[in-house]
Amino acid sequence: YSVLSSEKKKDQIEVKEAVAMETELLRDYGFGRQQLTEMLGHACATAITQVFPLASLEKRQPTGLVACGPDQNGCVGLACARHLRVFEYIPTVFIPKRSSDALHQDLRLQCERMDLPFLSYLPTEVQLINEAYNLVVDAVLGPETELASVGEPFTGVLQTLRGLKAPIVSLDIPSGWDADESSSDGISPALLVSLMTPKRCALSFSGSHFLAGRFLPFDLQRKYELNLPKFSGTDAVVQL
Amino acid sequence: YSVLSSEKKKDQIEVKEAVAMETELLRDYGFGRQQLTEMLGHACATAITQVFPLASLEKRQPTGLVACGPDQNGCVGLACARHLRVFEYIPTVFIPKRSSDALHQDLRLQCERMDLPFLSYLPTEVQLINEAYNLVVDAVLGPETELASVGEPFTGVLQTLRGLKAPIVSLDIPSGWDADESSSDGISPALLVSLMTPKRCALSFSGSHFLAGRFLPFDLQRKYELNLPKFSGTDAVVQL
């Protein structure tokens, strides 16, 4: 895929461009956060079914833990958790910090009313998480959040995630990574689902990598000189 | 599928129950119209790809006409049109009457900005439509609209649709049918995509029939004693 890139077009995008592109989608193209979040959450859940199909899971129950931060990344995580439930997984939701975002609150209510279990705190004993869950979805921090600017409970959550043996699925970026930098220590996901377009840090990611956000208008792809792979059929995601 | 129904459970639903169920989804479950409409439009477009795959279309271009009324049914039609474009069809949108609904206006803007062509009027000469389009999506009137209460331009549009040879895809109900009655004359779709649950009138429909709305919480399915078929894998629709 990267071999096919033209010299001019980009396989990854900087955070400031990603923010500008999303602003255009919302302001000029008439999209709403609710619909974008829904489609992205659906696509992330679809990617998970491809890399971790129900039949491949080792635990007796098709459990997963979905850790959702208070911002947009966490919103996508909540939508993803609900779609995982619809796809017959048993996701448990963990929200480290309440959000004041109305969309976040609605998406949380949807999960609660659909009887998804919630964790009130994350065990610091990673063995408990490894034993209980087939996988952990990391929707804690998005590309717009600088790690240096967040404190507890997020630093503690990231430390726990770093110690896990259960495979991690990160949405958009691995939480705590600098989205614009191509190297990082920190958590090490088995699956990364980039949202709309990969961020720079995806260059140094070596696990399974999928792209979600098929709705991105061709016009915007041209304007931002993106070199995105072709989705096939009605697929919501494409593997990179 | 209907053979498997228990005595108590229902394969179809009355309009008043459908309205009550949607009210609960929005009020008690925290869902938003924007996200429901997006998922339903996506599912309708997916059903179309199954019954009318790109490779099966007879015209040189994979064209379709999507006729969208001013209410919720038309909103789903607009989302469907956009997803059809993403799935590499070439849908043209026809809106017989401007809508004052902000969601409708946003969904229309999304189509405009993604360069979908719009028809300013529907040719009364059906041959022109038959020759230009592989299929016509009927998202004109939903189950809540009584035919007797609508006048022009809708009666004229329905008369044109009745005369078409191009196959019609109706969303939720064939426009102009009484949703609660099991017999009807009027337009005769090749494909019906029921939204969330089939309405009574689907009993007298003999074409391809799909169900969209996999997001419907199991709780609500039990409360309304629905006997819905099982979706498989990550499928957005199921054939009835």
Side-chain angles (χ1 to χ4, degrees), chain A:
Chain A
Y1 145 72
S2 51
V3 178
L4 294 171
S5 316
S6 83
E7 293 292 331
K8 272 187 150 176
K9 290 192 171 175
K10 289 172 294 201
D11 296 327
Q12 295 87 22
I13 198 170
E14 284 182 32
V15 172
K16 64 182 179 190
E17 291 172 296
V19 170
M21 199 171 68
E22 194 176 323
T23 302
E24 282 197 61
L25 264 181
L26 297 171
R27 188 191 57 202
D28 303 333
Y29 283 75
F31 282 91
R33 271 184 71 213
Q34 195 183 80
Q35 72 185 131
L36 298 183
T37 303
E38 187 69 15
M39 293 308 287
L40 291 172
H42 171 262
C44 290
T46 303
I48 290 169
T49 68
Q50 292 190 22
V51 178
F52 304 101
L54 284 171
S56 76
L57 303 179
E58 288 180 3
K59 316 282 181 206
R60 206 166 49 87
Q61 302 259 22
T63 52
L65 178 64
V66 186
C68 302
D71 299 322
Q72 177 57 23
N73 204 255
C75 288
V76 177
L78 287 166
C80 173
R82 179 164 41 78
H83 285 284
L84 283 175
R85 181 69 197 87
V86 167
F87 296 156
E88 302 184 22
Y89 292 72
I90 302 182
T92 294
V93 176
F94 171 57
I95 298 178
K97 189 178 178 181
R98 281 210 174 244
S99 174
S100 57
D101 176 8
L103 177 59
H104 197 283
Q105 290 167 0
D106 283 345
L107 291 162
R108 177 192 176 126
L109 176 60
Q110 292 161 29
C111 288
E112 288 172 351
R113 291 299 312 259
M114 286 180 71
D115 293 330
L116 271 64
F118 278 69
L119 276 192
S120 51
Y121 68 96
L122 194 66
T124 48
E125 181 54 72
V126 291
Q127 195 54 27
L128 292 174
I129 301 173
N130 291 331
E131 281 169 9
Y133 303 108
N134 292 280
L135 57 93
V136 176
V137 177
D138 154 34
V140 180
L141 302 177
E144 294 171 59
T145 308
E146 284 180 40
L147 182 58
S149 71
V150 302
E152 293 300 344
F154 304 106
T155 44
V157 169
L158 293 187
Q159 193 175 341
T160 302
L161 294 183
R162 265 201 301 276
L164 286 183
K165 281 188 182 154
I168 293 177
V169 178
S170 286
L171 307 192
D172 213 10
I173 64 161
S175 292
W177 286 30
D178 180 337
D180 282 340
E181 293 295 326
S182 66
S183 75
S184 169
D185 35 30
I187 67 171
S188 188
L191 167 60
L192 172 65
V193 187
S194 289
L195 306 184
M196 299 207 267
T197 174
K199 313 303 173 290
R200 281 277 178 82
C201 66
L203 274 172
S204 56
F205 177 73
S206 57
S208 295
H209 188 190
F210 282 70
L211 179 67
R214 192 173 175 174
F215 51 77
L216 196 62
F218 303 122
D219 254 16
L220 277 183
Q221 295 185 30
R222 276 189 295 272
K223 175 168 178 183
Y224 287 88
E225 300 179 324
L226 301 179
N227 177 51
L228 299 181
K230 202 169 139 50
F231 294 78
S232 65
T234 58
D235 292 353
V237 289
V238 57
Q239 187 161 13
L240 300 182

Side-chain angles (χ1 to χ4, degrees), chain A residues 30 35 38 88 110 230, chain B residues 30 34-35 38 88 110 230:
Chain A
Q35 72 185 131
E38 187 69 15
E88 302 184 22
Q110 292 161 29
K230 202 169 139 50
Chain B
Q34 196 184 81
Q35 71 185 133
E38 187 69 17
E88 300 182 26
Q110 291 161 29
K230 201 170 140 50

Side-chain angles (χ1 to χ4, degrees), chain B residues 25-240:
Chain B
L25 264 181
L26 297 170
R27 188 191 56 202
D28 303 333
Y29 284 75
F31 281 92
R33 271 184 71 213
Q34 196 184 81
Q35 71 185 133
L36 297 183
T37 303
E38 187 69 17
M39 294 308 288
L40 291 172
H42 171 262
C44 290
T46 303
I48 290 170
T49 68
Q50 293 191 22
V51 177
F52 304 101
L54 284 170
S56 76
L57 303 179
E58 288 179 4
K59 317 280 181 210
R60 206 166 49 85
Q61 302 260 22
T63 53
L65 179 63
V66 186
C68 302
D71 301 321
Q72 178 56 23
N73 204 256
C75 287
V76 176
L78 288 166
C80 173
R82 178 164 41 78
H83 285 284
L84 283 175
R85 182 69 196 89
V86 167
F87 296 155
E88 300 182 26
Y89 292 73
I90 302 181
T92 293
V93 176
F94 172 57
I95 298 179
K97 189 177 178 182
R98 281 210 174 244
S99 174
S100 56
D101 176 8
L103 177 59
H104 197 283
Q105 291 167 0
D106 283 344
L107 291 162
R108 176 192 177 127
L109 176 59
Q110 291 161 29
C111 288
E112 288 172 351
R113 291 300 312 258
M114 286 178 71
D115 293 329
L116 272 64
F118 279 68
L119 276 192
S120 52
Y121 68 98
L122 193 67
T124 47
E125 181 53 73
V126 291
Q127 195 54 26
L128 293 174
I129 301 173
N130 291 332
E131 280 169 10
Y133 304 107
N134 292 281
L135 57 94
V136 177
V137 177
D138 154 35
V140 181
L141 303 177
E144 294 171 58
T145 308
E146 284 180 40
L147 183 58
S149 71
V150 302
E152 291 299 345
F154 304 106
T155 45
V157 169
L158 292 187
Q159 193 175 338
T160 302
L161 294 183
R162 267 201 300 276
L164 286 184
K165 279 188 183 153
I168 293 177
V169 178
S170 286
L171 308 192
D172 212 10
I173 65 162
S175 290
W177 287 28
D178 180 336
D180 282 341
E181 293 296 327
S182 66
S183 76
S184 169
D185 35 29
I187 66 171
S188 188
L191 167 61
L192 172 64
V193 187
S194 290
L195 306 185
M196 298 207 269
T197 174
K199 313 303 172 290
R200 281 275 177 84
C201 66
L203 274 171
S204 56
F205 177 72
S206 57
S208 294
H209 187 189
F210 282 71
L211 178 68
R214 191 173 175 175
F215 51 78
L216 197 62
F218 303 122
D219 253 16
L220 277 182
Q221 295 185 32
R222 276 189 295 271
K223 176 170 178 183
Y224 286 88
E225 299 178 326
L226 301 179
N227 178 49
L228 299 180
K230 201 170 140 50
F231 293 78
S232 67
T234 58
D235 292 354
V237 289
V238 57
Q239 187 163 12
L240 300 182

